Amino acid sequence: MLTNKNIILGVCGSIASCKSASIVRLLVKSGANVRVIMTKDACNFITPLTLSTLSKNPVHLNYFDPETGAWNNHVELGLWGDLMVIAPASANTLAKFANGLCDNLLSAVYLSAKCPIYFAPAMDLDMWKHPATQKNISTLIGFGNTIIHPGYGELASGLIGEGRMAEPEAILEFLNEELKKKLPLKGKRALVTAGPTYEAIDPVRFIGNHSSGKMGFAIAEELAALGASVVLITGPTSLKLNHAEIKRIDVSSAEEMLEAALKNFIKTEISVLSAAVADYRPKQISQNKIKKDSSEFVIELIKTPDILATLGKEKQAGQILVGFALETDNEEENAINKLKKKNLDFIVLNSLKDVGAAFQNDNNKITIIDSELKKEVFKLKPKTEVAKDICKKVLDLLA
Ligand code: C5P
């Protein structure tokens, strides 16, 4: 969630400043770019060297560097952040920010920042309870800022009560949840099929195809990154998922894929069926390995169920159903026929004539045709980027 996010961490003077080192470490571990701003008092509790080493960036202390005289551009820094966290936030800093005072770099960056801002207060219990502090907290919330509430426990004064800064792990968890809430597909459920299916001939052999599953996996990852809870039903593939929250169901045959898809479809707002399902399967599956005694060998084939068409029949209002068409000739005409026949919201067409696209490749070249026959042609690009184009179309339809 925090990968590649630009985080400004403000550190104020408090015994909890020591925990800022853990916050920086956890943010960096999550893939965030971190720039730390410290107040003068914070430097009495933890050194800028510690935080610059952990954040892999120089720590900002003043409007200008006293050695070089170089100007620290607070506006630029404020605009750089995707998110600003002040942890620990002292009573003094909360009071200053609530009243728009601007006498240090941190307060100037706060006033310049346009991103969401989070405060993790840390102070003694009576300071926290004081009406002045509580009024400042209400004012800051009124400005659209968010408070990460302090916990109950032993305080530096030896007293026990509320005022302990939230633990670094809890702060990270809080930020992750906040970012998730802002994702456009938060609360939506998605179903994706990927890969080939294997239709058994005997215990050793099968009928299959060259699908790698890369396109379906990329779509599942992108839907999850946009906040959807994703179920990925995949045929045999060696691919691994990066997103920990995608529920993966491994199947082998078309029948198994259909069963899993039907179980999940009813609860799903978005379904993207990209699997290259085998169209036929052997009528009989031999229980034992078939011997190569005769010079000719005939297998009787019967049709597999069409998963996409089955879901198209079940589709209710509010469900988006997307299919793929891999064609070699009359591409658009065939794709439009499938779009109509299978009751889809849009179809993703890729042609085997496009060099470097489709099966096994890391790239794909697609055309999206929707139910109003509006057509969008895309350039050859990595499947991860193609997945973004497909999900953008889903977002457009939802909007
Ligand atoms: O009809 P055709 O196989 O070309 O349609 C391709 C689309 O239908 C793909 O989205 C594929 O995942 C889906 N499909 C399916 N079950 C089948 C055959 C295709 O879900 N048996």
Side-chain angles (χ1 to χ4, degrees), residues 193 273-275 277-279 304-308 323-325 327 338 342:
T193 67
L273 272 63
S274 66
V277 184
D279 293 316
T304 55
D306 191 317
I307 305 164
L308 184 57
F324 272 69
E327 304 293 335
K338 283 175 195 173
K342 303 192 189 195

Side-chain angles (χ1 to χ4, degrees), residues 219-378:
I219 294 166
E221 298 273 3
E222 182 58 21
L223 287 167
L226 291 169
S229 30
V230 181
V231 174
L232 171 69
I233 305 168
T234 177
T237 166
S238 55
L239 295 180
K240 301 237 172 338
L241 283 165
N242 297 319
H243 202 292
E245 284 165 43
I246 298 174
K247 183 178 168 202
R248 173 176 177 157
I249 302 174
D250 286 279
V251 295
S252 187
S253 67
E255 288 282 354
E256 288 168 13
M257 191 174 272
L258 174 69
E259 196 187 325
L262 280 173
K263 263 191 201 144
N264 287 282
F265 183 62
I266 198 155
K267 302 169 241 151
T268 303
E269 286 95 353
I270 305 152
S271 299
V272 184
L273 272 63
S274 66
V277 184
D279 293 316
Y280 291 91
R281 68 171 174 83
K283 191 171 179 187
Q284 301 292 338
I285 304 172
S286 171
Q287 294 307 307
N288 301 311
K289 187 180 171 195
I290 299 166
K291 302 279 175 231
K292 51 178 180 184
D293 299 335
S294 48
S295 60
E296 278 187 23
F297 177 56
V298 176
I299 304 174
E300 195 180 348
L301 299 177
I302 55 166
K303 267 208 140 169
T304 55
D306 191 317
I307 305 164
L308 184 57
T310 310
L311 299 192
K313 283 195 190 108
E314 305 257 317
K315 190 174 90 169
Q316 303 288 319
Q319 286 189 299
I320 292 177
L321 184 58
V322 181
F324 272 69
L326 177 64
E327 304 293 335
T328 53
D329 49 81
N330 293 330
E331 287 97 334
E332 278 188 35
E333 194 187 320
N334 289 336
I336 291 170
N337 283 341
K338 283 175 195 173
L339 170 84
K340 290 181 179 162
K341 208 168 114 199
K342 303 192 189 195
N343 190 22
L344 309 181
D345 293 276
F346 68 88
I347 193 152
V348 181
L349 163 66
N350 38 190
S351 168
L352 273 184
K353 281 188 193 154
D354 288 319
V355 183
F359 272 165
Q360 297 281 340
N361 274 300
D362 287 334
N363 297 323
N364 203 358
K365 182 173 178 347
I366 62 159
T367 299
I368 290 181
I369 307 172
D370 67 20
S371 55
E372 288 165 5
L373 304 189
K374 215 171 93 206
K375 194 177 95 177
E376 261 181 287
V377 184
F378 295 87

Side-chain angles (χ1 to χ4, degrees), residues 30-43:
S30 308
N33 311 310
V34 185
R35 286 165 80 173
V36 179
I37 307 168
M38 296 174 75
T39 64
K40 205 160 142 256
D41 278 349
C43 303

